[in-house]
Amino acid sequence: MKRRRPVASAAKARSPARADKLALGQLHKHLGYFLRRLQIWVFQDFIQTLGKMKVRPAQYSVLLIIEANPGRSQAAIGQTLGIERARLARLLHELERRKWINRRASGSDARSHCLHLTADGEKALVRIKSVATQHEARLADYVGAKRHMQLMDLLRDFG
Amino acid sequence: MKRRRPVASAAKARSPARADKLALGQLHKHLGYFLRRLQIWVFQDFIQTLGKMKVRPAQYSVLLIIEANPGRSQAAIGQTLGIERARLARLLHELERRKWINRRASGSDARSHCLHLTADGEKALVRIKSVATQHEARLADYVGAKRHMQLMDLLRDFG
């Protein structure tokens, strides 16, 4: 099996060759441990890939959800992504500061806001998605194309 | 599919019913997103389950590795688990403070230390493993026993 490392060498220490490893003992029975290890690889690669644009994974997720569901509320987005209210508020504030999104007061409820991408946000997201696609290809290469597809099938119900 | 929630209701907001959810858009193509969502469920359930014993997932992993590999160095453990040196040092310090592990100077290198469980550590780990087994059963119930096994098979190479 290929043991490709994330894009930058900073992540080196987290992807040791199997030969250097100790026995996992009972850890070998815990799915959460293996989920976490692969997820760390993914985040490292993703953060390094999108670091140039100063976009974090959670920001990217929120931009995609707003793109796919223009005009929806902060609450609906938070519920979809499982992001807590205070954290999402900070995240949206940052995206607004960069002029990538705007909030318009909802007609039905003055306290609620509809979220939209701005023209700048749409332009930025085109570039971000293109880099994210490269990241996904690296991940598919790391785990193998077939396993990538199988994992997707098995995990999609939980997102 | 079952949409069981983690053990305590604090995690409720992170496991919304699918019906409440917005379209995922291009997020639907990112394996990392789905890994992360399931991993969050796992950590929440695990942290709630082991919270009574004040044991965090990383501490549990380290205890299991020391149990399975008595007398090995901090460096070998860090490399196996992909934990950075400074973070592992803090974690081991905490386990030592609780008298669950001890470090004996290595014969070959005075700066290096061999890690062992103490008798107290062994006793605590028996209890912790029993609770962790209940957590794993809940996870298997959440994703389904077959999927649990399939995911294990697909992910084990990356731990």
Side-chain angles (χ1 to χ4, degrees):
Chain A
M1 200 200 62
K2 282 177 279 184
R3 297 288 302 173
R4 267 195 63 178
R5 285 170 173 171
V7 62
S9 59
K12 224 168 155 183
R14 301 211 175 188
S15 314
R18 176 148 294 275
D20 304 332
K21 291 191 160 194
L22 304 179
L24 291 181
Q26 190 154 326
L27 203 49
H28 203 254
K29 294 180 188 166
H30 286 298
L31 178 54
Y33 171 69
F34 298 103
L35 280 172
R36 176 71 179 152
R37 290 307 299 266
L38 183 54
Q39 196 249 315
I40 286 172
W41 191 99
V42 170
F43 263 35
Q44 286 186 332
D45 189 84
F46 191 88
I47 288 167
Q48 288 155 15
T49 303
L50 281 166
K52 312 154 216 168
M53 298 182 206
K54 300 199 192 309
V55 175
R56 304 267 315 174
Q59 292 176 323
Y60 175 62
S61 302
V62 167
L63 289 170
L64 289 180
I65 295 291
I66 296 175
E67 180 190 43
N69 307 274
R72 298 302 298 265
S73 71
Q74 179 167 336
I77 292 168
Q79 188 159 46
T80 300
L81 293 175
I83 302 179
E84 283 162 43
R85 193 152 67 166
R87 191 174 156 236
L88 182 58
R90 284 194 300 274
L91 198 157
L92 291 171
H93 186 77
E94 169 66 13
L95 295 177
E96 222 176 350
R97 198 190 57 75
R98 296 171 83 169
K99 304 199 191 311
W100 284 356
I101 63 165
N102 62 43
R103 313 192 206 202
R104 298 177 206 150
S106 152
S108 58
D109 180 356
R111 288 163 310 176
S112 172
H113 289 82
C114 303
L115 295 161
H116 296 265
L117 295 182
T118 62
D120 274 5
E122 278 171 16
K123 242 189 289 177
L125 191 51
V126 169
R127 293 199 311 276
I128 295 166
K129 284 202 279 190
S130 142
V131 178
T133 301
Q134 294 163 26
H135 152 77
E136 199 63 34
R138 249 190 326 272
L139 174 54
D141 191 38
Y142 177 59
V143 300
K146 189 181 164 201
R147 190 183 326 227
H148 185 266
M149 208 187 59
Q150 290 170 320
L151 284 170
M152 212 60 136
D153 285 345
L154 290 169
L155 290 171
R156 255 191 194 132
D157 288 333
F158 305 96
Chain B
M1 199 200 61
K2 284 175 279 184
R3 300 286 303 171
R4 269 196 59 178
R5 285 167 173 173
V7 65
S9 60
K12 225 168 157 182
R14 301 211 175 187
S15 314
R18 175 147 294 275
D20 305 331
K21 291 191 160 196
L22 303 180
L24 291 181
Q26 190 153 326
L27 203 49
H28 204 254
K29 294 181 188 164
H30 286 297
L31 177 56
Y33 172 69
F34 298 103
L35 280 172
R36 176 71 179 153
R37 289 307 298 267
L38 184 55
Q39 196 248 315
I40 286 173
W41 190 98
V42 171
F43 263 36
Q44 285 184 333
D45 189 84
F46 192 89
I47 288 167
Q48 288 156 14
T49 304
L50 281 166
K52 314 153 217 171
M53 298 182 206
K54 299 198 191 310
V55 175
R56 305 265 317 172
Q59 292 176 323
Y60 175 61
S61 302
V62 167
L63 289 171
L64 289 180
I65 295 290
I66 296 174
E67 180 190 43
N69 308 272
R72 298 301 298 264
S73 71
Q74 180 167 335
I77 292 167
Q79 187 159 46
T80 299
L81 293 175
I83 302 178
E84 283 162 41
R85 191 154 67 167
R87 191 173 157 239
L88 181 59
R90 283 193 301 275
L91 197 157
L92 291 171
H93 186 76
E94 169 64 13
L95 295 176
E96 221 175 352
R97 197 189 57 75
R98 297 171 82 169
K99 305 202 189 309
W100 285 356
I101 64 164
N102 62 41
R103 314 192 206 202
R104 298 176 204 151
S106 151
S108 59
D109 179 356
R111 288 162 310 174
S112 172
H113 289 82
C114 303
L115 295 161
H116 297 264
L117 297 182
T118 62
D120 274 4
E122 278 170 18
K123 244 189 287 177
L125 191 50
V126 169
R127 291 199 312 277
I128 296 166
K129 284 201 280 190
S130 144
V131 179
T133 301
Q134 294 164 25
H135 152 77
E136 198 63 32
R138 252 191 322 273
L139 174 55
D141 191 37
Y142 177 59
V143 300
K146 190 180 164 201
R147 193 186 319 230
H148 185 265
M149 207 187 59
Q150 289 170 320
L151 284 170
M152 211 60 137
D153 285 347
L154 289 169
L155 290 170
R156 254 188 194 135
D157 288 333
F158 304 98

